[in-house]
Amino acid sequence: MLQRATPGHVFTKIISTGSYLPDKILTNDDLSKFVDTSDEWIRSRSGIQSRHIAADGEETSDLAVMAAKRALDGAGLAATDIDLIVVATTTPDVVFPSTACIVQDKLGAKNAAAFDIQAVCSGFVYSLAVVDKMVASGAYKNVLVIGAEVYSRIVNWKDRGTCVLFGDGAGAVVLTQSKEPGILATKLHADGSRRSILNVPGHVRNGVVYGDPYVHMDGPAVFKMAVQVMADVCNETLAMANLTASDIDWLVPHQANVRIIDATGKRLGVSPDKTIVTVQGQGNTSAASIPLALDTAARDGRIKAGQLVQTVGVGGGFTWGSALLRW
Ligand code: UT7
């Protein structure tokens, strides 16, 4: 949906970012000691060099709380100033309550409503689109959106086709009502008929796990689909805001694979020096990857106030979407 600047219009704006990566780093060489792979294969096929792995007992909500605290510090807000928490995750702490409710408790954000969004690697962009409507309507003022994942617990460490690609981490943003443009346009898509190419088929029924509880992926099919849809959805949001790819200051795509990121940049017409890439040191952190990349680039001074930032996500479902931001 497009947000127009009419008198009295309330925009939703990101005012700060935060992120957290677990201490433990697993390099490609570490991996090659227990899986039939090599640093050369992983680097050349994905660009990934290392990833972070959560400690035993470190839950998705713990990663989310660390990222959220850093974002709150940056915004100069207390946890009690937040009136809504949305957590995008595919690796919730438990079946229920939502990870967002656990985060609300751990943060002491007692004035906040809380819920999770499950759209796999598109979860952060889906969350921005939903929260934008809730803030722009005037119903919510200060919102935390967090992408947080512990994929290390849902990958099969014996499957070299998937385990080398993923990592754990969390990224958070604080959004607030603003008279200045913030989120300019969002567009979401899904194609459930393509769900077989990326999924975790296992599920709990009557106390028993049925099906394989690990990530299954048809890598080449996901690769092809991702490259097809990412540039297209970016162009959709650009058109909604009467802008073109040449207006983009920073492309912040889902961090799955440098080859997908490069191909998306090429199709869109955005050069590599305007693209934020963090996958090399983090792997694919699913819903956490875009807010982790935003935090990295905002903190190191690349993304500056007033710039046009194009975020785009793609993942299981199949889901994809884009949120075009004025920073
Ligand atoms: O958030 C979205 C989630 N996922 C993605 O974005 C992933 C999308 N897909 C990809 O990034 C790529 O398809 C991969 C990186 C997963 C794989 O790259 P590829 O160039 O598509 O390789 P492939 O799957 O076609 O496999 C090529 C070969 C195969 O061997 P054969 O059959 O040619 O002998 C695989 O068995 O590479 C083999 N292989 C490996 N070799 C060493 C697969 N995984 C590994 C590995 N180490 N880890």
Side-chain angles (χ1 to χ4, degrees):
M1 186 182 282
L2 170 65
Q3 299 297 346
R4 284 184 201 288
T6 50
H9 184 88
V10 176
F11 287 97
T12 311
K13 196 169 179 73
I14 293 177
I15 56 165
S16 73
T17 61
S19 64
Y20 173 75
L21 292 163
D23 290 340
K24 184 179 169 187
I25 294 173
L26 187 70
T27 65
N28 293 347
D29 285 335
D30 295 335
L31 264 168
S32 62
K33 287 178 189 137
F34 61 91
V35 197
D36 181 16
T37 189
S38 65
D39 177 54
E40 199 284 325
W41 191 95
I42 303 169
R43 273 181 203 249
S44 63
R45 299 297 173 120
S46 72
I48 298 166
Q49 299 167 21
S50 60
R51 68 288 291 142
H52 292 251
I53 305 291
D56 280 349
E58 197 174 29
E59 305 298 337
T60 295
S61 62
D62 297 317
L63 275 55
V65 164
M66 293 296 287
K69 282 184 175 165
R70 289 170 184 171
L72 284 171
D73 277 354
L77 293 175
T80 47
D81 294 324
I82 297 295
D83 49 18
L84 177 65
I85 298 172
V86 176
V87 174
T89 187
T90 307
T91 49
D93 287 13
V94 290
V95 173
F96 76 82
S98 67
T99 302
C101 281
I102 300 170
V103 168
Q104 186 242 24
D105 177 44
K106 288 181 177 174
L107 273 179
K110 60 184 184 196
N111 300 314
F115 62 89
D116 287 359
I117 282 188
Q118 160 59 301
V120 199
C121 303
S122 311
F124 182 75
V125 170
Y126 263 64
S127 300
L128 288 185
V130 169
V131 162
D132 178 34
K133 310 304 169 287
M134 297 177 77
V135 172
S137 72
Y140 291 88
K141 189 162 181 263
N142 297 318
V143 180
L144 257 173
V145 170
I146 309 165
E149 304 279 15
V150 287
Y151 262 60
S152 60
R153 310 226 169 110
I154 60 165
V155 291
N156 178 351
W157 289 100
K158 291 182 179 143
D159 175 9
R160 68 178 183 172
T162 51
C163 76
V164 303
L165 301 172
F166 294 93
D168 301 338
V173 297
V174 174
L175 301 111
T176 195
Q177 288 177 356
S178 167
K179 290 191 179 112
E180 302 294 317
I183 296 178
L184 300 178
T186 61
K187 184 70 190 170
L188 305 178
H189 291 280
D191 180 356
S193 74
R194 307 299 305 273
R195 65 190 181 279
S196 65
I197 63 174
L198 180 55
N199 59 35
V200 175
H203 56 284
V204 178
R205 190 180 296 178
N206 299 327
V208 178
V209 177
Y210 290 88
D212 189 347
Y214 294 116
V215 172
H216 284 242
M217 184 172 72
D218 177 345
V222 172
F223 192 102
K224 206 170 144 201
M225 180 100 187
V227 169
Q228 269 169 15
V229 299
M230 282 170 93
D232 290 352
V233 73
C234 286
N235 280 321
E236 283 184 89
T237 50
L238 286 165
M240 289 160 80
N242 290 321
L243 295 166
T244 67
S246 62
D247 296 308
I248 294 173
D249 292 299
W250 293 107
L251 175 64
V252 186
H254 170 49
Q255 306 285 315
N257 182 319
V258 284
R259 289 158 58 215
I260 296 177
I261 293 171
D262 287 350
T264 301
K266 270 203 190 90
R267 268 177 77 114
L268 193 56
V270 173
S271 60
D273 61 333
K274 290 184 170 183
T275 304
I276 306 298
V277 183
T278 52
V279 71
Q280 62 276 18
Q282 297 172 5
N284 180 347
T285 59
S286 192
S289 88
I290 294 174
L292 269 161
L294 285 174
D295 186 52
T296 301
R299 279 177 198 267
D300 69 20
R302 275 179 289 175
I303 299 181
K304 295 182 183 62
Q307 289 188 324
L308 189 69
V309 179
Q310 174 70 271
T311 63
V312 57
V314 62
F318 216 76
T319 57
W320 64 103
S322 148
L324 186 63
L325 318 170
R326 183 65 67 192
W327 202 254

